[in-house]
Amino acid sequence: SNIDSNCYITNKQIHKNFKPILYLDKSEREAIIEKDYAIKEKITTANDWTMIPILLGLLLLASIIALYRKYLSLLFESLVYRLSSNKILNEKNNQIQRLTIILDTLYLIAFSLTIDQIVNGLGFFSPPKKIPFIVFGIFLVFLLLLRIFRLIVFKISALLSDQKIFFKEVFYGSLLYTRTLGLFLLPIAVLLTYSTGSINLILIYLSIFIIIIMLIMRLISMFRAFLVGGFSIFYFILYLCALEIAPLLIIWKEVKSR
């Protein structure tokens, strides 16, 4: 009761001042005692395989900060100012070329790892135990093939339209946003991998928000490039359908089919 600390065990009696307790009669108690319980093997959901892409991504990020720090401010400025973007495009020294390769690799790793954690965290797909990195691998290959496909399309478009400078500017200008996205996503991907509960959910929505914002900025920049280049809106819509919307629909179809 609320007055004293004694525990009163009663059978088939009702007392207003006593708290309810769990009561088992002899038959029920013996049945529970005699029942055999098999000890289940502990199922580990450790993300051991993620250590490889995380360490590689952190190594690339550290090399960028240590060796190419002076170019980072120019890279961020190019997201907003067209003059800075052209300055990066016109740079053809070895440092810029190495930096772009590192940024592209960092983007592939960070984006694929982030998508893997989003898919698993929101329960869209549960990878098999034998190949837990299947989502990461599929998106890594998909992004790489998409990059090659876009490069081929821009090369062919430049040859057919005799607008080599314009298509080069549009292609490399679009890459500025993906390369910058990798810098933002890698720290979030690391936290996503080793966080749980509400923090994990907050990081998932934060990463989705950053991806959407970067995609919108990229589309605005490319729309501005088409207008400055003298092309009609029809060509921009054709570009969106072929190289932007179609890949997203393919990804969505694959996720829904799983």
Side-chain angles (χ1 to χ4, degrees):
S1 67
N2 297 327
I3 301 174
D4 56 47
S5 60
N6 294 326
C7 178
Y8 297 90
I9 301 177
T10 61
N11 184 16
K12 297 180 182 179
Q13 297 182 21
I14 300 176
H15 295 272
K16 295 182 180 180
N17 297 328
F18 294 156
K19 296 180 180 179
I21 62 171
L22 175 64
Y23 172 77
L24 299 175
D25 59 18
K26 184 177 180 181
S27 60
E28 291 178 348
R29 185 171 65 253
E30 290 178 351
I32 293 176
I33 294 175
E34 293 176 356
K35 186 176 180 180
D36 295 331
Y37 289 93
I39 300 176
K40 295 182 179 181
E41 183 181 358
K42 183 179 180 181
I43 300 175
T44 58
T45 57
N47 296 314
D48 295 336
W49 66 269
T50 58
M51 288 298 297
I52 297 176
I54 285 176
L55 290 177
L56 181 57
L58 292 176
L59 180 63
L60 294 175
L61 182 61
S63 64
I64 292 173
I65 296 175
L67 302 176
Y68 307 99
R69 186 180 302 175
K70 62 180 181 180
Y71 293 104
L72 289 180
S73 60
L74 188 61
L75 179 66
F76 292 129
E77 288 178 5
S78 64
L79 299 178
V80 181
Y81 301 105
R82 188 180 181 85
L83 181 62
S84 300
S85 176
N86 293 333
K87 188 181 297 185
I88 289 181
L89 293 176
N90 294 328
E91 289 282 349
K92 296 182 179 180
N93 57 58
N94 294 329
Q95 281 192 329
I96 290 293
Q97 292 179 357
R98 285 194 293 265
L99 175 61
T100 54
I101 294 175
I102 295 175
L103 287 173
D104 288 337
T105 307
L106 181 64
Y107 161 72
L108 294 175
I109 294 174
F111 193 84
S112 301
L113 188 59
T114 303
I115 294 299
D116 175 84
Q117 297 303 314
I118 291 175
V119 170
N120 293 329
L122 296 181
F124 290 137
F125 174 72
S126 297
K129 297 178 182 179
K130 293 183 179 180
I131 44 176
F133 52 86
I134 184 172
V135 177
F136 173 82
I138 290 175
F139 271 89
L140 186 67
V141 175
F142 174 79
L143 292 174
L144 185 59
L145 294 178
L146 182 62
R147 175 68 60 83
I148 297 174
F149 173 71
R150 283 177 174 172
L151 179 61
I152 294 174
V153 170
F154 276 104
K155 290 287 185 181
I156 296 174
S157 301
L159 292 175
L160 296 178
S161 62
D162 197 21
Q163 294 286 339
K164 184 177 180 180
I165 298 177
F166 168 75
F167 282 102
K168 178 183 177 182
E169 180 181 348
V170 172
F171 178 71
Y172 287 101
S174 65
L175 293 183
L176 291 174
Y177 293 88
T178 57
R179 289 164 178 168
T180 310
L181 181 61
L183 296 173
F184 289 111
L185 285 184
L186 182 65
I188 298 178
V190 175
L191 295 176
L192 267 174
T193 306
Y194 298 103
S195 63
T196 57
S198 59
I199 297 178
N200 185 267
L201 192 61
I202 293 173
L203 291 173
I204 286 176
Y205 288 117
L206 177 61
S207 59
I208 295 175
F209 175 76
I210 293 176
I211 293 173
I212 293 175
I213 291 298
M214 198 64 68
L215 180 61
I216 293 174
M217 293 178 62
R218 181 167 171 262
L219 293 179
I220 293 175
S221 176
M222 301 194 72
F223 177 72
R224 184 176 56 187
F226 270 84
L227 292 181
V228 174
F231 290 85
S232 64
I233 302 178
F234 172 76
Y235 289 101
F236 177 71
I237 296 175
L238 184 63
Y239 161 79
L240 287 181
C241 296
L243 298 180
E244 298 293 338
I245 298 178
L248 294 178
L249 292 178
I250 293 174
I251 295 175
W252 176 254
K253 183 180 178 181
E254 288 297 323
V255 172
K256 292 291 288 184
S257 64
R258 297 296 179 179

